[in-house]
C-alpha cells in the first residue's frame, strides 16, 4: 500500500454556495480542557469530567457540528442529517432545543449561532479525537516518506488507539450512518497501512493472527487477503498462503460473481514461482566508490575494501560539510573513529579520506601517531612535519609546541585541507594538531574513545557483519575456492570473530597455500586454544595487536581484563563482574569503563559489558600466563557461581513463597542480589538467562557440579519460557552426563529432574518418564528428599498425557501426600491441579472442578501468581468440558494474563489454544481462529503433539468460516504429527479430510 491513507473526504448534502463562501467570524479558543470524541460514542469532557450530552438526537446534532470542522451547518442541513426524508413536524424546534441545551453544557463561545445555522468553533488538535487521528496519520505519512518505518508505524498505532469501538456509536440518522461507514473505512485503511509496514519490518509471523481475524470479519476485503497471503508465505506457510487465494476466489465468485483483482492474482503466481523478491525486505546498502587518486600524503586505499557503506557515507558527508561550496563550513570539523585493534579503523579512515578528497583540493595530511605503541609520536615533531609539507621553510618553524601549533593553524587559514591522524593515543595528543578554521577537517583513529575531545563526532567501529566478512574473505582467497566450500568459509570468518584483521590474516594464509582447502583452515581455527597462534601471517598477528593494548593497562585494569575473560556468557552485568573481581560495584564500574575506553572491552548496554570473541581468548591466555596464584582463577569463578545461585534462589523464593526446594540447595558464600518486587526479580532472571545458563554449564565441567545443577533447578522457569528452552536443555544434558561420569548421585538425580521438565515441555513423554524414574531412584540412593515429590508430580503429568490415568492418579496422590508431609504447600497445590486434569480425562468433571478449586485456594493463600495461572488453566479446562464456556473463558483469560506477566511464552501459547477451543465450542469462530493463530505463532508446551492439536482446531474454525481450502492445509499439516505421536486425534483429522467432510 502506498503511503498512509487519509481520512475520506466528507461531502455533506445540501451545502449551499453561500454557506461555503460565507466569511466566518473570528474564532474563539476552546477553553482549556474541553475535548470531544466521535471515534466511538459521541462524548465531551471538561478536563477529566465526562459531560452529559443528552439524548441520542442531541448527540447526533453535536456530532454533525463536530464533523463539519468549524463550518456552519444550516438548520435545514441539520434536520436532514438527523431525520433524512421523514423529519417530524416540529423538527426545527427540536434542533433549536438541542442546540440550546448543548450551549449550556459546553463553555461559552463554543457553540455559536449565525446565518440561521450553528457551528462549533476552534475545535482543532487534540480537542477532537478525529482531528488528532488525522494529525497522527499525516505525521506517519511524512515519516514513511522519509524512510522511518518504525516512527510511521508507531504513529499509525497511536491513531488507531483513538478508536473506542464503533464510530458515532448509537447515533441515529442518515448522516451518522454515512459518516460511520466513512470512518470505519478509514480505520480499515489505517490498519492495512500499519500491517503493510509490519510486513516491511519483517513482523510477518506476528501479523498472521491479526490478519486471520480481520479477514474473517471482512471476508470481501481483498487487500487484507493479500497481506495475509504475504505474511503466511514469509512465515514459511506457502500452502496456506495459496489456500487463502483459493478461498478468496471462490468467495468472490459466489458472493459477487467476480474474479480476484489483478494484484491478488499476481501475488498468487509469484508465490507459486517462489519469487525471491517476496522474501522479507531488507534495506540495501551500496558501497560508495573511492575518489580518483591525487598526489597527497594519504596512504593508498586497499583494493579489496569491503562493506562499511553506512560509515563511509556518514564520515565522508561530515568531513565534506567543513568545505562546502557555499562557504557555510563548520569550524574544526572533527570525526574520531574508535575501536578494538584489528577492527579496520585505519582502513576505513584512509578509504573515507580518499572519498572526501574532492572537497579538500588544497591537500591531505597524514601521520601515524603510534598511539598503541610504547613511544607515541610527539605533537611537536608531527607539527614540524606538517608545516614543512604545507610549504613552511625549516628556518621559519619555531621550537615550542604552542608556537608551532599557532603557526600551523595560521598556515591552514583560508585553505581546504583534510588531516588524517591515525592511531592516536588520546585527545591530549591530537588537540595541537587540529585545524582551527573553516574549510579544514580532521579524521582521527584510535583505540580510546575520545569523549573529552570537544566538538568531535565520535564513531564506534564494530566488527563486520557475517556477509561483509565473507565478502572480504572471498576477495582475498578467490570466488572459485570459496564457492565450493561456502559453509567452511562461514566457519572461518566466524572463528575470526568477523574481525577484519583476523579475516585478512586467515585469508592470506589460505591464498598462499594452494594445497589447503577452506575446510583445512576451518579445522585449524576450530581449536580455541590454538586459534590466536594460527592467526598470524608475515608481520601481521592478531595476538600482537591485542598485546599492545594489554601492555598499557594499569595493574588493576589488567587483573580485571584477565579474570572477566574467564566467564563463558555472551556478556556480563556490573553486579556479576563485581562478584568475579570481589570488589564494590562502584570500583568495578570504574575499572570496566576504563577498559571500555581502551576498546579492550565493549559496553553492550548500560551496566553490561562484553568481549570480542578473540579478545576473550586472549584474556584467558593472559589469565593462564599472568594470574598468580592460579587459585585466584578458581576463586573468581566460584564467586560468580555463588552470585548467580544465590540470586536465582531469591527469584525462585519470590515466585514460589513457601516452596521448600531452596532449603535443599548447596550453601553459597557470596551474596546475591535482593529485589523489591516480583517484576524486578523476573527482569533480572530473563536478562541474565544466557549468562546464568553459561555459568551453570561451565560449573559442570570445572568441579563445581552440585552448585551448577542447583542453579539450573532454581532457574527452571527458563526451561518453560520458550526463548531459552534449547540452551536450558543443553546445559541439563551436560549436567546429567557430568554427574553420571563423576558418580555423584545427588547431582545426577537433580539434573535428571530438570531434564524431566525439559522433555515434558517438548512433549517427549517416554524420555520424561525415564528421567523422572531415574531421578527418584537416585534421590533415594543419595537420601535427597528434594527430587522425590517433584518426580511423583512429573510422572503423574506424563501418565496423564499418555492416557495412563490410573498410573497418573497413583503418582499424583503420592505427590500430594509427600508434599503435605514435607509442609510444601505449593507442591501440594500443583499436584491437586494436575490430579484435576486426570479426573477430567476420566469424565469426572465435577471432581475435576473441585480439585482445581482446591489448588486455587492454596495458591491464593500464598500469593503465588505464576502457579495460580496453572491452577486457573486447569479449572478453565474443566469448565470448558462442563459446558460452562463463559466461566471457562474467564478463568483461561486470567491465566493467560498471568502467564504473560510472568513471561512464560510456551504456557501463553498453550492457553491461547485452550481459549480457541472454548471459543470454538461457543461458536465464536473468528475469535477461535485468532487465538489458534496466536498459539501457533508463540508455540506451546508439548511440542509437535500440541501443535498438531492447534492446527486441527484452527482448521475447524476456518472451515466453519467458509475458508475450506486453508482449513484442509492445516489438517494435512497436523495429520503426520498426530500419527507420529500415536494420538487418537489422527482418526478425527482423517475424517475431517475425507471428501464427504469437505463437501
Amino acid at each position: 500500500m502506498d503511503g498512509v491513507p487519509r481520512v475520506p473526504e466528507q461531502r455533506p448534502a445540501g451545502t449551499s454556495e453561500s454557506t461555503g463562501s460565507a466569511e466566518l467570524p473570528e474564532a474563539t479558543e476552546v477553553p482549556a480542557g474541553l475535548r470531544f470524541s466521535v471515534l466511538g460514542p459521541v462524548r465531551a469532557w471538561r478536563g477529566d469530567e465526562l459531560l452529559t450530552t443528552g439524548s441520542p438526537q442531541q448527540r447526533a446534532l453535536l456530532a454533525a457540528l463536530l464533523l463539519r470542522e468549524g463550518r456552519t451547518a444550516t438548520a435545514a442541513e441539520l434536520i436532514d442529517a438527523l431525520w433524512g426524508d421523514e423529519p417530524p413536524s416540529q423538527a426545527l424546534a427540536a434542533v433549536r432545543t438541542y442546540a440550546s441545551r448543548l450551549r449550556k453544557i459546553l463553555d461559552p463561545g463554543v457553540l455559536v449561532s449565525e446565518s440561521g445555522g450553528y457551528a462549533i468553533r476552534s475545535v482543532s488538535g487534540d480537542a477532537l479525537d478525529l482531528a488528532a487521528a488525522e494529525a497522527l496519520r499525516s505525521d506517519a505519512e511524512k515519516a514513511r516518506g522519509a524512510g522511518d518505518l518504525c516512527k510511521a508505524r508507531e504513529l499509525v498505532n497511536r491513531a488507531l488507539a483513538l478508536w473506542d469501538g464503533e464510530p458515532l456509536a448509537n447515533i441515529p440518522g442518515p448522516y451518522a450512518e454515512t459518516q460511520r461507514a466513512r470512518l470505519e473505512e478509514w480505520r480499515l485503511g489505517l490498519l492495512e497501512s500499519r500491517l503493510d509496514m509490519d510486513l516491511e519490518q519483517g513482523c510477518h509471523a506476528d501479523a498472521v493472527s491479526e490478519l486471520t481475524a480481520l479477514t474473517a470479519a471482512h471476508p470481501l476485503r481483498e487487500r487484507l487477503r493479500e497481506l495475509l497471503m504475504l505474511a503466511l508465505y514469509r512465515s514459511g506457510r506457502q500452502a496456506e498462503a495459496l489456500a487463502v487465494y483459493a478461498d478468496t476466489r471462490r468467495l468472490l465468485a459466489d458472493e459477487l460473481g467476480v474474479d480476484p483483482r489483478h494484484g491478488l492474482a499476481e501475488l498468487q503466481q509469484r508465490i507459486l514461482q517462489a519469487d525471491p523478491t517476496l522474501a522479507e525486505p531488507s534495506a540495501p546498502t551500496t558501497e560508495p566508490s573511492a575518489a580518483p587518486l591525487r598526489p597527497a600524503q594519504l596512504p593508498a586505499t586497499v583494493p579489496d575494501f569491503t562493506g562499511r557503506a553506512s560509515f563511509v557515507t556518514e564520515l565522508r558527508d561530515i568531513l565534506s560539510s567543513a568545505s562546502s561550496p557555499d562557504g557555510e563550513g563548520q569550524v574544526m570539523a572533527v570525526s574520531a573513529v574508535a575501536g578494538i585493534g584489528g577492527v579496520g579503523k585505519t582502513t576505513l579512515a584512509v578509504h573515507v579520506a580518499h572519498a572526501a578528497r574532492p572537497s579538500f583540493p588544497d591537500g591531505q595530511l597524514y601521520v601515524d601517531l603510534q598511539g598503541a605503541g610504547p613511544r607515541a609520536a610527539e605533537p611537536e615533531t608531527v607539527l614540524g612535519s606538517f608545516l614543512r609539507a604545507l610549504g613552511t621553510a625549516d628556518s621559519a618553524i619555531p621550537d615550542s609546541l604552542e608556537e608551532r601549533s599557532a603557526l600551523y593553524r595560521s598556515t591552514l587559514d583560508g585553505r581546504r585541507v583534510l588531516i588524517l591522524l591515525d592511531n592516536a593515543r588520546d585527545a591530549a595528543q591530537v588537540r595541537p594538531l587540529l585545524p582551527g578554521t573553516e574549510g579544514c577537517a580532521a579524521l582521527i583513529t584510535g583505540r580510546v574513545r575520545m569523549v573529552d575531545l570537544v566538538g568531535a563526532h565520535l564513531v564506534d567501529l564494530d566488527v563486520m557483519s557475517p556477509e561483509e566478512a565473507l565478502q572480504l574473505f572471498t576477495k582475498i582467497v578467490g570466488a572459485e575456492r570459496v564457492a565450493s566450500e561456502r559453509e567452511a568459509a562461514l566457519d572461518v570468518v566466524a572463528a575470526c570473530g568477523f574481525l577484519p584483521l583476523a579475516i585478512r590474516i586467515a585469508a592470506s594464509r589460505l591464498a598462499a597455500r594452494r594445497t589447503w582447502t577452506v575446510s583445512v583452515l576451518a579445522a585449524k581455527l576450530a581449536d580455541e586454544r590454538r586459534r590466536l597462534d594460527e592467526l598470524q601471517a608475515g608481520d601481521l598477528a592478531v595476538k600482537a595487536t591485542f598485546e599492545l593494548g594489554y601492555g598499557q593497562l594499569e595493574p588493576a585494569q589488567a587483573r580485571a581484563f584477565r579474570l572477566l575473560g574467564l566467564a563463558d556468557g555472551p556478556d556480563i552485568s556490573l553486579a556479576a563482574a563485581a562478584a568475579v573481581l570481589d570488589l564494590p560495584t562502584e570500583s568495578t564500574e570504574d575499572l570496566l569503563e576504563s577498559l571500555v575506553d581502551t576498546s579492550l572491552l565493549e559496553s553492550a548496554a548500560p551496566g553490561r559489558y562484553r568481549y570480542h570473541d578473540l579478545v576473550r581468548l586472549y584474556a584467558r591466555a593472559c589469565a593462564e600466563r599472568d594470574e598468580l596464584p592460579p587459585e585466584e582463577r578458581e576463586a573468581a569463578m566460584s564467586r560468580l557461581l555463588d552470585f548467580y545461585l544465590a540470586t536465582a534462589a531469591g527469584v525462585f523464593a519470590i515466585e514460589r513463597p513457601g516452596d521448600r526446594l531452596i532449603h535443599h540447595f548447596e550453601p553459597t558464600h557470596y551474596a546475591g542480589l535482593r529485589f523489591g518486587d516480583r517484576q524486578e526479580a523476573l527482569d533480572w532472571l530473563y536478562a541474565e538467562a544466557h549468562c546464568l545458563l553459561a555459568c551453570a554449564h561451565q560449573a559442570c565441567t570445572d568441579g563445581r557440579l552440585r552448585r551448577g545443577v542447583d542453579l539450573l533447578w532454581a532457574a527452571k522457569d527458563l526451561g518453560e519460557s520458550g526463548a531459552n528452552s534449547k540452551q536450558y536443555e543443553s546445559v541439563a544434558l551436560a549436567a546429567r552426563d557430568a554427574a553420571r561420569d563423576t558418580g555423584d548421585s545427588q547431582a545426577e538425580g537433580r539434573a535428571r529432574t530438570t531434564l524431566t521438565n525439559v522433555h515434558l515441555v517438548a512433549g517427549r513423554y517416554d524420555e520424561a518418564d525415564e528421567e523422572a524414574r531415574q531421578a527418584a531412584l537416585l534421590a533415594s540412593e543419595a537420601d535427597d528428599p528434594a527430587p522425590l515429590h517433584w518426580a511423583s508430580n512429573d510422572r503423574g503429568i506424563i501418565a496423564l498425557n499418555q492416557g495412563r490415568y490410573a498410573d497418573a492418579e497413583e503418582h499424583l496422590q503420592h505427590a500430594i501426600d509427600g508434599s503435605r508431609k514435607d509442609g510444601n504447600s505449593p507442591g501440594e497445590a500443583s499436584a491437586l491441579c494436575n490430579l484435576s486434569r486426570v479426573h477430567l480425562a476420566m469424565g469426572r468433571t465435577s471432581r475435576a472442578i473441585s480439585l482445581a478449586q482446591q489448588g486455587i485456594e492454596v495458591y491464593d493463600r500464598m500469593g503465588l501468581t505464576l502457579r495460580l495461572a496453572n491452577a486457573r488453566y486447569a479449572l478453565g479446562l474443566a469448565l470448558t468440558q462442563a459446558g460452562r464456556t463463559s466461566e471457562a473463558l474467564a478463568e483461561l483469560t486470567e491465566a493467560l494474563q498471568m502467564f504473560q506477566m510472568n513471561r512464560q511464552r510456551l504456557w501463553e501459547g498453550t492457553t491461547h489454544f485452550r481459549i480457541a477451543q472454548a471459543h470454538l465450542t461457543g461458536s465464536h469462530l473468528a475469535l477461535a481462529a485468532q487465538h489458534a493463530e496466536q498459539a501457533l505463532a508463540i508455540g506451546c508446551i508439548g511440542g509437535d503433539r500440541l501443535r498438531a492439536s492447534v492446527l486441527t482446531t484452527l482448521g475447524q474454525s476456518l472451515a466453519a468460516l467458509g475458508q475450506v481450502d486453508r482449513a484442509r492445509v492445516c489438517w494435512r499439516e497436523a495429520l503426520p504429527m498426530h500419527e507420529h505421536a500415536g494420538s487418537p486425534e489422527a482418526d478425527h483429522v482423517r475424517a475431517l479430510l475425507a471428501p464427504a467432510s469437505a463437501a
Side-chain angles (χ1 to χ4, degrees), residues 792 795-801 804-813 835 838:
S792 295
R795 295 195 75 187
I797 299 171
I798 295 163
L800 164 64
N801 283 287
R804 298 184 287 110
Y805 303 131
D807 290 344
E809 191 170 7
E810 180 182 352
H811 287 309
L812 291 169
Q813 193 59 56
L835 187 57
V838 174

Side-chain angles (χ1 to χ4, degrees), residues 83-391:
W83 293 286
D85 296 333
E86 299 180 356
S89 57
Q90 300 298 316
L92 180 58
V95 166
R96 290 172 177 166
T97 300
Y98 298 152
S100 175
R101 290 174 181 170
L102 286 171
R103 191 178 288 115
K104 293 175 183 176
I105 295 167
L106 305 177
D107 294 314
V110 174
L111 198 160
V112 299
S113 304
E114 61 180 20
S115 305
Y118 301 93
I120 288 181
R121 297 293 189 214
S122 298
V123 176
S124 60
D126 291 335
L128 177 63
D129 58 358
L130 176 58
E134 172 61 15
L136 288 167
R137 191 271 330 151
S138 178
D139 291 343
E141 188 175 54
K142 293 174 184 175
R144 190 171 187 183
D148 191 346
L149 281 179
C150 290
K151 182 178 180 182
R153 184 176 178 274
E154 177 194 355
L155 292 167
V156 172
N157 272 329
R158 286 170 56 190
L160 288 167
L162 293 174
W163 262 263
D164 186 16
E166 182 184 48
L168 306 175
N170 301 317
I171 297 299
Y175 180 74
E177 191 62 35
T178 301
Q179 295 303 311
R180 214 170 359 252
R182 175 180 72 91
L183 294 173
E184 176 60 16
E185 174 64 27
W186 185 44
R187 185 187 72 85
L188 286 172
L190 285 174
L191 264 176
E192 290 172 345
S193 174
R194 196 259 297 154
L195 286 162
D196 192 35
M197 287 186 278
D198 286 351
L199 298 189
E200 284 190 57
Q201 292 184 303
C203 302
H204 37 265
D206 294 335
V208 170
S209 173
E210 186 175 2
L211 282 164
T212 295
L214 285 169
T215 53
H218 307 280
L220 297 177
R221 199 168 181 95
E222 292 183 70
R223 177 57 180 163
L224 289 174
R225 300 268 183 160
E226 184 177 345
L227 291 170
L228 177 57
M229 288 173 65
L230 187 57
L232 286 167
Y233 179 75
R234 287 183 178 170
S235 300
R237 298 160 69 177
Q238 180 181 9
E240 284 186 70
L242 294 170
V244 170
Y245 179 81
D247 286 332
T248 304
R249 183 176 60 182
R250 186 181 60 254
L251 180 67
L252 291 173
D254 292 346
E255 296 290 331
L256 305 177
V258 297
D259 291 327
R261 62 188 179 87
H262 175 71
L264 202 61
E266 182 183 20
L267 179 59
Q268 182 224 17
Q269 289 300 311
R270 293 173 68 190
I271 290 173
L272 285 169
Q273 297 163 7
D275 186 345
T277 62
L278 287 179
E280 182 178 346
S282 58
T285 58
T286 57
E287 180 180 317
S289 57
L293 291 176
R294 296 183 180 181
Q297 290 190 353
L298 294 179
T301 187
V302 294
D304 49 24
F305 183 86
T306 303
R308 310 295 202 190
S310 61
F311 286 117
V312 172
T313 302
E314 175 186 349
L315 290 168
R316 183 193 59 206
D317 290 348
I318 289 172
L319 294 176
S320 299
S321 68
S323 185
S324 56
D326 57 11
E328 296 181 1
Q330 306 173 26
V331 175
M332 201 176 75
V334 179
S335 290
V337 180
I340 185 177
V343 81
K345 302 179 294 296
T346 298
T347 302
L348 172 66
V350 170
H351 189 82
V352 168
H354 277 283
R357 281 185 65 192
S359 299
F360 301 96
D362 295 325
Q364 303 88 37
L365 299 172
Y366 171 84
V367 64
D368 180 356
L369 293 172
Q370 302 290 320
R375 291 184 295 276
E378 294 296 334
E380 298 96 321
T381 304
V382 175
L383 283 170
S385 175
F386 278 177
L387 285 168
R388 280 188 287 273
L390 291 168

Side-chain angles (χ1 to χ4, degrees), residues 850-924:
S850 174
L851 287 167
Q853 289 171 336
Q854 289 178 44
I856 288 174
E857 289 171 6
V858 176
Y859 284 138
D860 269 335
R861 286 198 305 269
M862 307 191 73
L864 288 170
T865 54
L866 175 55
R867 297 304 108 185
L868 181 57
N870 291 105
R872 294 200 178 280
Y873 172 87
L875 181 56
L877 297 186
L879 291 170
T880 300
Q881 188 160 312
R884 294 156 62 177
T885 306
S886 59
E887 295 173 72
L889 284 170
E891 295 293 338
L892 290 169
T893 300
E894 192 162 349
L896 176 64
Q897 292 168 350
M898 291 177 180
F899 285 133
Q900 289 170 334
M901 183 174 63
N902 287 278
R903 307 176 203 187
Q904 291 295 304
R905 289 285 286 169
L906 294 180
W907 273 111
E908 181 186 338
T910 305
T911 309
H912 273 298
F913 165 54
R914 300 303 185 184
I915 292 174
Q917 287 184 314
H919 279 306
L920 184 60
T921 301
S923 297
H924 304 137

Side-chain angles (χ1 to χ4, degrees), residues 266-540:
E266 182 183 20
L267 179 59
Q268 182 224 17
Q269 289 300 311
R270 293 173 68 190
I271 290 173
L272 285 169
Q273 297 163 7
D275 186 345
T277 62
L278 287 179
E280 182 178 346
S282 58
T285 58
T286 57
E287 180 180 317
S289 57
L293 291 176
R294 296 183 180 181
Q297 290 190 353
L298 294 179
T301 187
V302 294
D304 49 24
F305 183 86
T306 303
R308 310 295 202 190
S310 61
F311 286 117
V312 172
T313 302
E314 175 186 349
L315 290 168
R316 183 193 59 206
D317 290 348
I318 289 172
L319 294 176
S320 299
S321 68
S323 185
S324 56
D326 57 11
E328 296 181 1
Q330 306 173 26
V331 175
M332 201 176 75
V334 179
S335 290
V337 180
I340 185 177
V343 81
K345 302 179 294 296
T346 298
T347 302
L348 172 66
V350 170
H351 189 82
V352 168
H354 277 283
R357 281 185 65 192
S359 299
F360 301 96
D362 295 325
Q364 303 88 37
L365 299 172
Y366 171 84
V367 64
D368 180 356
L369 293 172
Q370 302 290 320
R375 291 184 295 276
E378 294 296 334
E380 298 96 321
T381 304
V382 175
L383 283 170
S385 175
F386 278 177
L387 285 168
R388 280 188 287 273
L390 291 168
T392 306
D394 284 349
S395 59
I397 298 175
D399 294 330
S400 73
L401 172 63
E402 293 76 11
E403 289 178 315
R404 287 189 177 191
S405 184
L407 178 59
Y408 170 67
R409 291 191 296 271
S410 299
T411 304
L412 289 176
D413 186 29
R415 299 189 185 187
R416 288 185 286 171
V417 176
L418 173 64
I419 299 95
L420 176 50
L421 305 173
D422 193 21
N423 197 14
R425 179 184 58 204
D426 52 28
Q429 186 188 26
V430 302
R431 283 194 190 98
L433 309 178
L434 296 178
T437 57
E438 294 181 358
C440 292
L443 179 57
I444 306 163
T445 73
R447 300 190 183 194
V448 176
R449 296 187 76 248
M450 298 186 189
V451 294
D452 51 345
L453 194 59
V454 178
H457 173 74
L458 303 181
V459 173
D460 292 318
L461 192 61
D462 203 351
V463 297
M464 287 181 151
S465 69
E467 294 78 12
E468 290 176 336
L470 186 61
Q471 288 174 23
L472 175 59
F473 184 78
T474 303
K475 286 182 180 180
I476 299 172
V477 172
E480 185 176 346
R481 294 177 78 180
V482 173
S484 61
E485 294 185 274
R486 179 179 171 82
E487 291 302 317
L490 288 171
D491 290 340
V492 168
V493 296
C496 293
F498 309 111
L499 188 72
L501 175 62
I503 295 166
R504 184 173 295 281
I505 291 171
S508 298
R509 290 190 69 196
L510 183 61
R513 292 162 175 80
R514 302 305 300 178
T515 60
W516 281 16
T517 63
V518 182
S519 299
V520 168
L521 178 61
K524 288 179 175 292
L525 295 177
D527 183 355
E528 287 191 353
R529 299 187 66 85
R530 289 280 308 157
R531 187 176 298 166
L532 289 175
D533 294 328
E534 293 288 347
L535 290 174
Q536 54 185 354
D539 60 351
L540 294 178

